[in-house]
Amino acid sequence: HFFFPVYAMRLVEMIRAEHTSDETIAAVRDLALALGKTPVVCKTDSPGFIVNRCLFAFMLEAIHVYEDGVASLEDIDTAIKLGLNHPMGPFEMMDLSGLDTFPHVTQTLESLPVTSWACPESVKELVREGKYGRKTGEGWYSYSE
């Protein structure tokens, strides 16, 4: 899955289907690298793959923030750009990629369970283990070196 605009975006998602062999993944990885792209593996054929599944949760919440009257489009875009160091805000990104694609992607994602605001068990387990991230030297990643 190449990202738009293809000439500017480096990422390629490689989606592993039920019968995808390791050899196929290796061949696609080699092709992506030869094209100057950075490949990542989506370990299962999930709606939205990796990026759109994460991105659309983010963009949908930005729309809710706007629709709930919390902030203007411009202030949301500015807050995300400056607060999260994103190159563009969610509304700018939606306009760039085309609003006509948005309903199609959300329809694909509707098969997934609704995201909950509850703290995930994986985070609770890390906290129980005293793994708070960089401040303790370990979290999702290890920072001991």
Side-chain angles (χ1 to χ4, degrees):
H1 176 231
F2 289 84
F3 285 81
F4 176 82
V6 175
Y7 68 86
M9 301 299 285
R10 293 182 15 214
L11 183 67
V12 173
E13 290 176 316
M14 301 184 306
I15 292 75
R16 184 182 281 277
E18 184 179 346
H19 300 290
T20 305
S21 69
D22 291 340
E23 293 79 14
T24 300
I25 291 292
V28 173
R29 180 185 319 273
D30 290 346
L31 173 62
L33 291 170
L35 294 172
K37 304 295 183 183
T38 301
V40 296
V41 177
C42 185
K43 297 193 304 185
T44 181
D45 189 0
S46 172
F49 309 136
I50 300 168
V51 172
N52 280 339
R53 187 166 170 175
C54 295
L55 176 63
F56 272 72
F58 170 75
M59 289 194 303
L60 286 166
E61 189 55 29
I63 294 169
H64 294 311
V65 168
Y66 170 70
E67 289 179 346
D68 290 347
V70 174
S72 69
L73 297 173
E74 298 82 6
D75 283 346
I76 295 167
D77 277 345
T78 299
I80 296 305
K81 288 188 284 190
L82 300 180
L84 298 178
N85 202 26
H86 287 200
M88 66 181 76
F91 296 99
E92 293 168 318
M93 182 183 299
M94 286 183 264
D95 278 351
L96 175 66
S97 55
L99 292 172
D100 56 319
T101 64
F102 201 91
H104 300 293
V105 177
T106 56
Q107 185 176 17
T108 300
L109 295 171
E110 284 178 356
S111 65
L112 296 168
V114 175
T115 300
S116 167
W117 289 106
C119 185
E121 285 303 315
S122 56
V123 175
K124 290 179 184 178
E125 179 62 27
L126 289 169
V127 170
R128 279 192 292 272
E129 294 173 1
K131 298 176 180 177
Y132 303 157
R134 288 185 182 265
K135 63 179 156 183
T136 61
E138 190 172 3
W140 295 107
Y141 294 98
S142 177
Y143 303 95
S144 57
E145 300 201 11

